[in-house]
Amino acid sequence: MTSKSSKNSQKIALSLGILILLTSAFLFFLPHSTSAPNVRTYLQKIDEEIQTMLKEDPSLGYRSNPYLYIKNNPSYEALIAEGTNVLPELHQTLSESTEDGLLEYITAIAIEEITRTDIRNSFSVSWETAKEFENSWTAFLTDVPQKIETLLSSSLSDQEKVQELQKYGLLAIPVLNRHMTTFSEDSPIFSYLAELVISDSESAFYTEDSLDQHTLEKMINENYKTLIDYIYS
């Protein structure tokens, strides 16, 4: 039993070691961008912090959970804080990479965290590797506008629609914005949209009860242009 356990541990360590080695190649293939914020810079810093963690605690190299490497990682947290503006570059970075290692997996995690989605659990979309995520995410993203349109025109109650909309996270904002004038300001869907936007912007100037249609639409058009283009490109 001890020998078998030792062999399994060695296999896990070897697999994770390969993922970490692939990080360097992944960084080389990252698309260069002159725009700020620069995803490449964030990912390089994340990698540097991972290498520091491994030097300080070599036992991490025997663990296969990618989430351990982003826990309390300042550069990862800074990347997430950039919000939806970095989504296109994150997606492009993952799509263009020729590798499928640890840093790609972290990129996939970042995409879901920024958008507040979980396609594996909310939509039963299966993915195990970063490349599988990228393929599934691209297909999922293509269908988002139509699926939300179908949901809005369904016979479900507004409360039930909100429950379903929550699965789409911030991706629902551009689609709901197109229907802004069809929602009364006291409707559950309008309230949900206002709450979603305010919680993402952390605005101290508005509450969901103080926003009217015109103000909310203006906020979305000003703050989510990148997300709107990302959804409808």
Side-chain angles (χ1 to χ4, degrees):
M1 290 295 291
T2 302
S3 176
K4 184 176 180 181
S5 176
S6 176
K7 288 181 180 180
N8 288 336
S9 297
Q10 290 174 355
K11 288 180 180 179
I12 292 173
L14 179 61
S15 298
L16 187 56
I18 292 172
L19 288 177
I20 294 171
L21 287 174
L22 287 175
T23 295
S24 299
F26 175 58
L27 288 170
F28 178 81
F29 285 103
L30 288 179
H32 292 271
S33 171
T34 57
S35 62
N38 192 315
V39 166
R40 180 187 179 89
T41 301
Y42 282 119
L43 292 175
Q44 286 175 327
K45 289 181 178 179
I46 290 170
D47 178 47
E48 291 170 1
E49 287 166 12
I50 289 174
Q51 301 308 320
T52 299
M53 290 169 60
L54 289 171
K55 288 180 181 178
E56 294 176 349
D57 184 3
S59 68
L60 283 173
Y62 291 89
R63 304 176 190 178
S64 58
N65 184 356
Y67 290 89
L68 290 173
Y69 295 92
I70 58 175
K71 184 179 181 180
N72 300 323
N73 186 309
S75 294
Y76 177 80
E77 292 171 359
L79 172 61
I80 299 302
E82 293 291 351
T84 56
N85 286 333
V86 296
L87 280 176
E89 193 177 352
L90 277 171
H91 193 164
Q92 181 185 5
T93 294
L94 188 55
S95 177
E96 293 183 354
S97 174
T98 59
E99 307 298 337
D100 198 2
L102 177 61
L103 207 56
E104 285 97 339
Y105 202 101
I106 289 173
T107 303
I109 294 172
I111 289 173
E112 285 205 318
E113 184 166 349
I114 288 172
T115 57
R116 303 186 190 179
T117 56
D118 182 352
I119 60 174
R120 184 189 282 130
N121 292 316
S122 295
F123 298 96
S124 300
V125 176
S126 176
W127 66 275
E128 297 299 331
T129 69
K131 281 302 183 180
E132 289 176 356
F133 170 84
E134 193 274 323
N135 292 332
S136 296
W137 179 261
T138 300
F140 168 74
L141 192 67
T142 301
D143 292 340
V144 164
Q146 185 56 54
K147 285 186 177 296
I148 294 179
E149 294 279 357
T150 301
L151 172 62
L152 292 175
S153 62
S154 72
S155 59
L156 293 175
S157 69
D158 280 358
Q159 293 287 3
E160 291 171 324
K161 289 176 182 178
V162 168
Q163 290 178 359
E164 292 300 310
L165 286 168
Q166 290 173 346
K167 298 177 182 179
Y168 292 93
L170 300 185
L171 298 180
I173 291 175
V175 186
L176 295 179
N177 191 43
R178 289 195 171 191
H179 291 266
M180 183 72 72
T181 58
T182 68
F183 307 136
S184 64
E185 293 178 0
D186 60 352
S187 72
I189 296 178
F190 181 87
S191 296
Y192 170 69
L193 179 57
E195 179 184 2
L196 192 62
V197 171
I198 291 171
S199 66
D200 186 50
S201 64
E202 297 183 350
S203 172
F205 301 102
Y206 296 103
T207 65
E208 59 185 271
D209 295 327
S210 68
L211 281 177
D212 57 27
Q213 286 181 346
H214 174 73
T215 305
L216 181 56
E217 185 174 17
K218 183 179 179 182
M219 287 177 66
I220 291 172
N221 289 333
E222 289 179 352
N223 299 327
Y224 293 96
K225 185 179 185 305
T226 300
L227 180 61
I228 292 170
D229 292 341
Y230 181 60
I231 290 292
Y232 286 106
S233 61

